[in-house]
Amino acid sequence: MYHHQHSSQGYDPSKFQHPVQVQAPAPAPPQAIRSSPYPAPAMYPPSNGGPAQWSTGLCHCFDDLSNCLVTCFCPCITFGQIADIVDRGTRPCSSSGTAYGLLLGFTGLACLYSCVYRSKLRAQYDLEETHSDCLVHFCCEVCALCQEYRELKNRGFDMSIGWNANVDRQRRGVIQPPVMGAPVIGGAMMR
């Protein structure tokens, strides 16, 4: 058995201390502390003329059938994609989707989490609130998620690649802002 005998030998702490001084790292400059490595996209600024209308209606889920099916069977995927864009890349799609899925699986009340993102989305793009965000998500969760997904997609986001890749594509000039104009009406009927 190994024993220290400090009292009989006279313990001298200076033998065990190193004269190395550790300096604290210099604080990062303010511009280096960011929630995302990319700036906010300039292609979709909020309008200045009051609240804007949503680009599609709440019940137009079949306008994007593939997203409608994904949202019906696995809403955590759609929610994760929406949250990644709305949070501007500060939280990965997978972690938001997982949190949503766990809330849905264990409590059935994932709508309380997703309604917060609807509010954030409306604030970012100055969208009108026809009904309470929580009420919309509580009563029509799938429709609300589909509408939010379509809104971001109609604003030029490629929802499958996330925030950072969308901003990178915009920087390189791959994405051009959509031109919002009057809807195109099909040709006249002919006999």
Side-chain angles (χ1 to χ4, degrees):
M1 198 162 166
Y2 180 74
H3 293 282
H4 288 286
Q5 297 181 359
H6 297 292
S7 59
S8 64
Q9 294 179 352
Y11 176 72
D12 185 10
S14 64
K15 290 181 183 178
F16 300 104
Q17 293 179 354
H18 299 288
V20 178
Q21 294 181 353
V22 178
Q23 293 181 348
Q31 67 272 16
I33 301 172
R34 284 204 154 136
S35 58
S36 172
Y38 301 105
M43 54 188 169
Y44 312 110
S47 66
N48 293 333
Q53 290 188 351
W54 291 81
S55 61
T56 60
L58 182 63
C59 297
H60 293 162
C61 297
F62 295 117
D63 288 356
D64 187 343
L65 187 58
S66 61
N67 172 253
C68 181
L69 291 173
V70 167
T71 307
C72 283
F73 293 107
C74 197
C76 55
I77 292 173
T78 300
F79 175 76
Q81 292 172 330
I82 293 166
D84 183 36
I85 301 294
V86 171
D87 280 342
R88 299 179 185 240
T90 59
R91 188 167 180 200
C93 171
S94 58
S95 68
S96 298
T98 300
Y100 179 91
L102 290 172
L103 279 170
L104 183 62
F106 288 114
T107 66
L109 294 174
C111 60
L112 297 177
Y113 181 44
S114 59
C115 74
V116 171
Y117 281 87
R118 185 176 183 87
S119 297
K120 286 182 181 181
L121 176 66
R122 278 190 326 89
Q124 285 177 1
Y125 297 108
D126 195 24
L127 295 168
E128 67 181 352
E129 180 182 19
T130 53
H131 303 288
S132 166
D133 295 332
C134 288
L135 181 65
V136 169
H137 272 268
F138 185 76
C139 295
C140 309
E141 178 71 3
V142 172
C143 295
L145 289 174
C146 287
Q147 183 187 31
E148 293 158 17
Y149 180 95
R150 288 190 312 272
E151 184 67 33
L152 292 170
K153 189 174 176 182
N154 290 342
R155 289 181 178 271
F157 288 100
D158 181 347
M159 298 299 287
S160 64
I161 63 175
W163 171 263
N164 292 333
N166 273 291
V167 174
D168 188 48
R169 287 178 64 190
Q170 182 203 6
R171 272 193 185 160
R172 291 183 290 138
V174 176
I175 298 175
Q176 295 298 321
V179 177
M180 299 299 240
V184 177
I185 300 174
M189 292 179 56
M190 301 173 74
R191 288 189 174 184

